[in-house]
């Protein structure tokens, strides 16, 4: 079986667009030296055929045929008497009805005239004969003079006059020129049509290819296309299909990798949390035992540490997913304040427990933004978590909507010790990195203002 | 009344602890170490607590099958898998999702909430401040006077919704959408008006409410 690559290289020259293009160019070059003579030749042949057809159309044949006939008749009448000449002429007159016939005997007397003519002299002097001949040359009617006798020795002669329109078609010289020009025009038109069709076909296929590229099938990948012909565009189409195939494979690989990574993280999460859960439950059992005040404090401390370790694992795993672009973000138009209220509702009991006074002042109007609900909950969770962990001393959390640098911003404020307290404790950096990542993904911006009076976080649209 | 619980957990230490903890709370617990036979074991149980990472069938699969076979059984996922994806997948069929490590008190609190919310109404009346609420009979009694408090349909709806989420703060959007079944509109005062009338009926001093507490800027809460 041939691989597509082999097929690409084994393109026959006569299949190529190049060959067809060269053919057209060749045609154009041959136009003057070949097409013109061909046209001329065709013209001449056609003309000849037409002429022959004309001749056969003539009633009595061409002028030369009639002339030959007349001379022949004259030769036969060499020794005939006047009566047989008359009879002959009458006989001929019956056949050539349009002709005027007469004859002059050896004495120069005009004999039978069919029909009688006025202008003819009764007796022919040599001058009359010369005058008659002179008038007859190239005139209408066509005149044939023949001396009687086998050798046409004369002096008797007979004359036939016949209108030229009967023996000759009225066709001026050069009457075939329009035909000639038409042939040339048709040839030129044919040439243009051919090149137009050639380029139209190329264009159509290129546009088809472009449409196939912008069209997206499943997995948001372009679909392979049917290869129309094995020429250069056919090669392009083959290469395109090859690329689509590779894209699909890499997409599948990516999905498999993503699945594997998620599985790994899920396993890791399970393996790390199971011992924590066991520790937690054992601490709980321990706290049920009679213990000194100091013992209870230690248990409380350990529970806190387990909590923060759990949080750290969570953040670490999430951050791994996020930085590898595997964290699902689905942006939807939502009321940001509604998410804030719901999040605050779940944190409120904890704030109460920790003695943090919540000052929540959110307007009734919705603050509609394109956000991912779960992602934004995560942002708030991390920020609120940091407040509990690092700004408990301030006993305050304020959640408001204010203007920040001319924009409406969600403001979360604490009265802790500011940034130092947040960053010096391990784990906070990761939490804020997640906040940063998620907000960036949701096309939101944030600003952190810190002083010794506490920290304020502004979240606003980019 | 004690509810019986099916608990599926492969880890010995966690399993033993949770088993004992729940039994100490008065529940009848059937602890299984694999999901095999979960369907038969769940017969007659009110609630199933499921781990996700189990040998053989995983918790998600077991949970889905259980819910399909017995839609009335409550399912609480108890898992070390904390990713949003896992939670969303779990909550497609489960009634709650708790992540490990968990505090044992939180586990029991969630179980209680689940049982109450599901309509496993308590035979004993619920006592809240000066009120006695008989959930089964839809009856509210004033303990001071012994008189029954009559509520309108919407008022009773709102109050029982708050009671089902005892101790939980509910935003006005959540309450509105649960009771009226339609999306909450900005600045709608309907809920506020209903709560005011409700307070007039159940509070000793409607000006400083003790039962339905306003959490400023967030919503409302009824504390146990």
């Amino acid at each position: 079986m041939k691989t597509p690559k082999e097929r690409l290289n084994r393109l026959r020259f006569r299949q190529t667009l190049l060959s067809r293009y060269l053919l057209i160019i060749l045609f154009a070059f041959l136009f003057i030296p070949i097409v013109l003579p061909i046209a001329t030749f065709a013209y001449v042949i056609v003309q000849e055929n037409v002429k022959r057809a004309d001749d056969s159309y003539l009633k009595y044949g061409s002028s030369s045929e009639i002339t030959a006939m007349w001379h022949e008749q004259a030769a036969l009448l060499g020794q005939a008497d006047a009566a047989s000449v008359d009879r002959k002429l009458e006989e001929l007159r019956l056949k050539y009805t349009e002709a005027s016939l007469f004859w002059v005997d050896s004495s120069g007397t005009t004999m039978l005239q069919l029909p009688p003519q006025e202008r003819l002299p009764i007796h022919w002097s040599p001058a009359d004969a010369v005058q008659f001949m002179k008038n007859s040359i190239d005139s209408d009617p066509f005149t044939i003079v023949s001396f009687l006798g086998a050798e046409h020795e004369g002096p008797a002669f007979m004359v036939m006059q016949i209108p030229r329109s009967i023996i000759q078609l009225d066709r001026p010289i050069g009457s075939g020129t329009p035909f000639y020009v038409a042939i040339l025009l048709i040839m030129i038109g044919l040439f243009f049509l051919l090149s137009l069709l050639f380029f139209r076909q190329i264009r159509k296929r290129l546009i088809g290819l472009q449409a196939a590229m912008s069209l997206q099938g499943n997995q948001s990948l372009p679909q392979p296309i049917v290869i129309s012909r094995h020429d250069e565009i056919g090669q392009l189409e083959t290469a395109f299909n090859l690329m689509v195939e590779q894209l699909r494979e890499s997409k599948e690989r990516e999905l498999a990798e993503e699945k594997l990574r998620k599985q790994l993280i899920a396993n890791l999460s399970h393996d790390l949390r199971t011992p924590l859960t066991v520790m937690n439950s054992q601490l709980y059992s321990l706290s049920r035992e009679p213990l000194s005040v100091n013992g209870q404090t230690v248990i409380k401390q350990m529970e806190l540490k387990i909590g923060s370790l759990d949080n750290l694992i969570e953040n670490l795993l999430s951050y791994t997913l996020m930085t590898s672009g595997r964290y699902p973000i689905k942006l939807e138009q939502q009321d940001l304040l509604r998410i804030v209220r719901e999040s605050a509702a779940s944190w409120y009991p904890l704030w109460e427990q920790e003695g943090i006074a919540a000052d929540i002042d959110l307007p009734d109007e919705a603050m509609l933004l394109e956000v991912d609900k779960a992602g934004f909950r995560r942002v708030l969770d991390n920020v609120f978590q940091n407040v509990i962990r690092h700004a408990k001393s301030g006993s305050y959390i304020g959640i408001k909507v204010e203007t920040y640098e001319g924009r409406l911003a969600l403001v979360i404020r604490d009265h802790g010790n500011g940034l130092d307290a947040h960053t010096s404790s391990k784990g906070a950096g990761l939490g804020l990195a997640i906040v940063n990542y998620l907000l960036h993904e949701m096309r939101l911006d944030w600003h952190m203002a810190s002083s010794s009076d506490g920290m304020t976080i502004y979240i606003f649209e980019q | 009344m004690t509810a019986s619980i099916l608990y599926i957990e492969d880890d010995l230490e966690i399993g033993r602890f949770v088993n004992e903890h729940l039994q100490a709370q008065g529940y009848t617990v059937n602890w299984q170490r694999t999901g095999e036979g979960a369907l038969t074991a769940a017969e007659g149980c009110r609630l199933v607590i499921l781990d996700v990472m189990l040998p053989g069938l995983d918790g998600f699969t077991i949970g889905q099958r259980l819910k399909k076979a017995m839609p009335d059984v409550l399912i609480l996922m108890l898992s070390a898998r904390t990713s949003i994806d896992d939670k969303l997948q779990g909550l497609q069929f489960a009634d709650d999702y708790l992540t490990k490590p968990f505090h044992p008190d939180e586990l029991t609190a969630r179980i209680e909430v689940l049982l109450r919310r599901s309509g496993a109404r308590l035979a004993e009346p619920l006592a809240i401040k000066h009120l006695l609420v008989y959930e089964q009979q839809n009856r509210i009694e004033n303990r001071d006077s012994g008189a029954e408090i009559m509520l309108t349909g919407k008022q009773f709806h709102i109050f029982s919704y708050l009671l089902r989420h005892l101790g939980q703060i509910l935003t006005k959007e959540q309450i509105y959408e649960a009771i009226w079944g339609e999306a909450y509109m900005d600045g709608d005062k309907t809920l506020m008006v209903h709560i005011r009338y409700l307070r007039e009926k159940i509070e000793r001093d409607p000006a400083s409410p003790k039962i339905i507490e306003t959490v400023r800027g967030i919503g409302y809460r009824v504390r146990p």
Side-chain angles (χ1 to χ4, degrees), chain A residues 269 273 314 338 341 352, chain B residues 80 82 100 102 173 177 221:
Chain A
S269 171
R273 283 199 168 96
E314 175 63 28
R338 184 182 175 145
R341 269 193 289 270
E352 282 181 314
Chain B
T82 56
K100 292 176 187 173
F102 57 91
E173 292 102 334
E177 283 164 15
R221 163 170 71 178

Side-chain angles (χ1 to χ4, degrees), chain B residues 30-121:
Chain B
N30 174 8
W31 171 30
Q32 300 280 328
R33 294 197 54 202
T34 69
E36 283 162 42
L39 279 175
T40 37
E43 299 270 354
C45 285
R46 284 292 309 133
L47 183 118
V48 178
I49 301 174
L50 259 180
D51 186 18
V52 173
M53 292 196 164
L54 291 168
L57 284 178
D58 70 286
F60 289 141
T61 314
I62 298 168
Q64 271 159 341
R65 288 188 189 172
L66 269 175
K67 202 69 183 179
K68 208 171 163 194
M70 300 175 228
D72 289 340
V73 170
L74 300 165
I75 297 178
L76 189 150
M77 301 301 295
L78 183 60
S79 167
R81 285 165 65 154
T82 56
S83 81
I84 301 274
D85 281 352
D86 289 330
K87 283 183 193 169
L88 291 180
Q89 192 187 345
L91 287 174
Q92 275 174 4
F93 60 88
D95 300 278
D96 203 355
Y97 196 104
L98 184 60
T99 57
K100 292 176 187 173
F102 57 91
H103 197 281
D105 289 341
E106 189 178 0
L107 177 64
T108 37
R110 295 234 196 175
I111 291 173
E112 272 169 37
V113 168
L114 269 184
L115 288 175
R116 193 163 41 233
R117 199 187 303 170
S118 75
R121 291 174 179 173

Side-chain angles (χ1 to χ4, degrees), chain A residues 176-427:
Chain A
T177 310
F179 171 72
Y180 182 64
V181 170
I183 288 185
L184 281 186
L185 282 181
I186 287 172
M187 289 291 191
I188 291 175
L190 212 65
F191 171 65
F192 275 114
L193 194 72
L194 214 66
S195 11
L196 195 71
L197 284 179
F198 177 68
F199 280 103
R200 241 184 62 136
Q201 202 200 2
I202 292 181
R203 187 170 170 275
K204 208 175 110 191
R205 289 167 67 199
L206 286 178
I207 286 176
L209 198 59
Q210 186 256 340
M213 284 185 198
S214 43
L215 199 81
Q216 294 195 337
N218 54 344
Q219 298 183 331
S220 65
L221 287 177
Q223 291 292 293
I225 50 177
V226 180
I227 292 162
S228 45
R229 267 171 108 146
H230 292 288
D231 53 16
E232 285 92 333
I233 294 182
Q235 281 186 310
L236 187 61
E237 287 164 343
T238 312
F240 172 76
N241 283 353
L242 213 64
M243 188 194 72
V244 169
E245 179 63 19
Q246 282 169 349
L247 264 178
R248 199 181 54 75
E249 275 170 17
S250 90
K251 187 100 181 178
E252 271 169 15
R253 245 197 327 272
E254 200 183 318
L255 282 176
E257 215 171 273
E258 182 176 334
K259 206 174 154 197
L260 199 72
R261 189 184 284 260
K262 277 189 172 163
Q263 190 60 45
L264 183 77
I265 283 183
N267 289 339
L268 205 60
S269 171
H270 177 262
D271 294 350
L272 288 170
R273 283 199 168 96
T274 301
L276 279 187
T277 311
V278 174
M279 279 163 71
N280 214 28
S281 49
Q282 281 165 351
L283 273 180
Y284 182 79
S285 308
L286 195 59
S287 70
R288 294 288 149 122
E289 301 293 320
L291 283 176
S292 65
V293 176
N294 199 22
Q296 288 290 357
T297 318
V298 169
I299 284 176
K300 201 86 204 149
Q301 278 296 317
M302 288 175 73
E303 277 178 348
L304 275 178
K305 287 296 161 199
I306 286 173
S308 67
L309 196 56
D310 173 41
N311 205 264
L312 197 62
I313 292 170
E314 175 63 28
N315 278 346
L316 194 65
L317 297 182
S318 300
Y319 196 66
T320 314
L321 278 180
M322 284 172 193
T323 48
S324 58
R326 299 287 184 273
Y327 194 85
I329 292 269
K330 204 170 98 215
L331 294 185
E332 272 172 319
Q333 176 100 336
Q334 320 230 18
D335 179 10
L336 198 73
L337 301 182
R338 184 182 175 145
I339 304 176
V340 173
R341 269 193 289 270
E342 282 173 16
S343 175
S346 61
W347 280 90
Y348 199 85
L350 206 58
W351 293 330
E352 282 181 314
Q353 197 184 316
E354 301 288 341
I356 295 175
D359 175 17
I360 299 163
D361 187 12
L362 300 171
D364 267 347
E365 303 84 59
M367 189 172 170
L368 292 173
L369 286 176
E370 289 268 317
V371 292
D372 175 69
K373 191 173 177 184
F376 200 76
R377 280 292 292 261
R378 189 65 195 270
V379 167
L380 292 172
D381 284 349
N382 281 13
V383 171
F384 293 158
Q385 180 91 48
N386 271 0
V387 170
I388 288 185
R389 207 170 298 154
H390 311 295
K392 208 155 69 174
S393 58
S395 303
Y396 173 86
I397 182 165
I399 305 173
K400 298 176 185 197
V401 171
E402 292 171 9
T403 40
Y404 175 76
E405 290 183 349
R407 277 170 292 191
L408 221 53
L410 176 70
V411 181
I412 299 162
R413 187 175 278 127
D414 68 48
H415 288 172
N417 298 324
L419 196 58
D420 288 347
H422 283 265
T423 47
S424 62
S425 13
K426 295 137 210 110

